[in-house]
Amino acid sequence: IQLTQSPSSLSASVGDRVTITCRASQGITIYLAWYQQKPGKAPKLLIDAASTLQSGVPSRFSGSGSGTDFTLTISSLQPEDFATYYCQHQLHNYPTFGQGTRLEIK
Amino acid sequence: EVQLLESGGDLVQPGGSLRLSCAASGFTFSGFAMSWVRQAPGKGLEWVAGLYGSGAGISYADSVKGRFTVSRDNSRSMLFLQMSSLRPEDTAVYYCAKDYIFGDGYWVFDLWGRGTLVTVSS
């Protein structure tokens, strides 16, 4: 199963609403997670099961979708949100990641 | 403290071997599947291998199948990755990652180590 994220990179300003999409090559119901990674750091799990926000993750982050099309939305960008975001599916004992979306400050 | 700590990364020649270790603490290690995930310099994340808590289920990425072996020692809360026939394209930071859900492989990762760098070059 391949995951394709769009866009690959994105420039935005503090306070903007941002949406990142992830498309699966076949249906994966809701078996999709989202991670945030900052330079030189390990990834951090943000969302599981397409829309379940992890404990401690700010409510400005939200996820939606099912089947093949998914979105990660940040409702009002904060300075600490500038990072790279990855989607990941977990099926068939062969998890794979999207190629990543780099979110940069405009 | 709940944490994972990788070690064993090094510079190795193509065709060589290396063993990575991951020490876990602060949680019931034997109850969770564990994985290795790698990241080549400037590139994205690639899942490499995973192992159920019991050790009964093992899975590998196609890119490493037949060359890498994942194992665990639950008595010591340790995860290992034995890498052989290494290639330049195996150069990456290797992360140890814990499954989010207790039990067999769920393959969503809620705890990551800091990573250990493997460089394959002559």
Side-chain angles (χ1 to χ4, degrees), chain A residues 29-95:
Chain A
T29 62
I30 61 166
Y31 291 108
L32 189 97
W34 289 96
Y35 298 84
Q36 175 194 66
Q37 187 180 32
K38 296 182 179 179
K41 301 294 186 181
K44 174 186 176 182
L45 178 63
L46 299 176
I47 288 171
D48 174 46
S51 61
T52 302
L53 203 64
Q54 290 301 289
S55 174
V57 175
S59 59
R60 62 181 180 272
F61 289 90
S62 64
S64 65
S66 66
T68 59
D69 294 309
F70 301 85
T71 61
L72 172 69
T73 299
I74 309 173
S75 60
S76 178
L77 275 172
Q78 298 302 300
E80 60 268 29
D81 299 338
F82 292 94
T84 300
Y85 293 85
Y86 294 93
C87 59
Q88 179 232 321
H89 85 83
Q90 61 201 96
L91 294 181
H92 308 314
N93 283 335
Y94 199 133

Side-chain angles (χ1 to χ4, degrees), chain A residues 31 33 35 37 40-45 47-49 52 54 86 88-90 92-99, chain B residues 35 37 39 43-47 52 59-63 65 95 100-101 105-110 112-114:
Chain A
Y31 291 108
Y35 298 84
Q37 187 180 32
K41 301 294 186 181
K44 174 186 176 182
L45 178 63
I47 288 171
D48 174 46
T52 302
Q54 290 301 289
Y86 294 93
Q88 179 232 321
H89 85 83
Q90 61 201 96
H92 308 314
N93 283 335
Y94 199 133
T96 60
F97 293 86
Q99 82 277 16
Chain B
S35 289
V37 178
Q39 187 168 36
K43 302 297 184 182
L45 301 168
E46 180 188 17
W47 175 83
Y52 288 3
S59 189
Y60 295 95
D62 291 342
S63 58
K65 199 172 293 183
Y95 294 101
Y100 171 49
I101 298 293
Y106 185 67
W107 312 126
V108 172
F109 314 114
D110 69 334
W112 298 66
R114 294 183 178 182

